[in-house]
Amino acid sequence: MSTDGDHEFNSEQQIYRVVAAVPAGKVASYGQIAELADIPHGARIVGRTLANLPHKSLLPWHRVVNTQGKISLRGKAALFQKDLLKKEGILFVDDRIDLTRFRWCP
């Protein structure tokens, strides 16, 4: 018998698995991660899950952006994410990533 806690754990694990597969130099949207993790309409769940990662997590959370190709974080966290993406060769034009060029297509 499954409980809500089990479902949340399974959803987290599915999200982690998909995010871990996003290669360097590519990005995915929150909605794309949710779809690939089989969580219908789960973009917000993906966002919350990534926001709650342990500080020293090795998961490439920084490769997840919003559907417009923009970083959803604010302040220093947004600058940190942008710096990590630039180091992987991701280019920004007016704080937006060209998803036709950099979107991960598994």
Side-chain angles (χ1 to χ4, degrees):
M1 177 184 251
S2 177
T3 65
D4 285 343
D6 290 339
H7 179 72
E8 286 178 28
F9 176 78
N10 289 334
S11 294
E12 284 180 359
Q13 293 305 310
Q14 290 170 257
I15 291 167
Y16 297 158
R17 177 183 48 79
V18 175
V19 172
V22 180
K26 294 292 181 181
V27 296
S29 70
Y30 295 98
Q32 181 184 2
I33 297 294
E35 182 180 322
L36 292 169
D38 200 27
I39 305 169
H41 311 289
R44 289 180 190 259
I45 294 168
V46 172
R48 277 194 302 272
T49 300
L50 295 180
N52 290 316
L53 284 175
H55 180 65
K56 298 283 185 173
S57 175
L58 298 178
L59 200 67
W61 60 269
H62 62 282
R63 297 180 188 145
V64 184
V65 297
N66 72 26
T67 193
Q68 297 173 335
K70 293 183 175 182
I71 292 173
S72 293
L73 300 174
R74 300 286 177 249
K76 288 182 182 180
L79 295 174
F80 180 62
Q81 182 177 7
K82 188 173 187 177
D83 186 53
L84 290 173
L85 291 170
K86 283 183 170 184
K87 287 179 180 177
E88 292 185 358
I90 303 284
L91 302 177
F92 287 80
V93 176
D94 296 328
D95 290 329
R96 188 182 298 239
I97 297 165
D98 178 359
L99 293 178
T100 60
R101 180 173 176 191
F102 293 105
R103 182 189 302 268
W104 175 52
C105 298

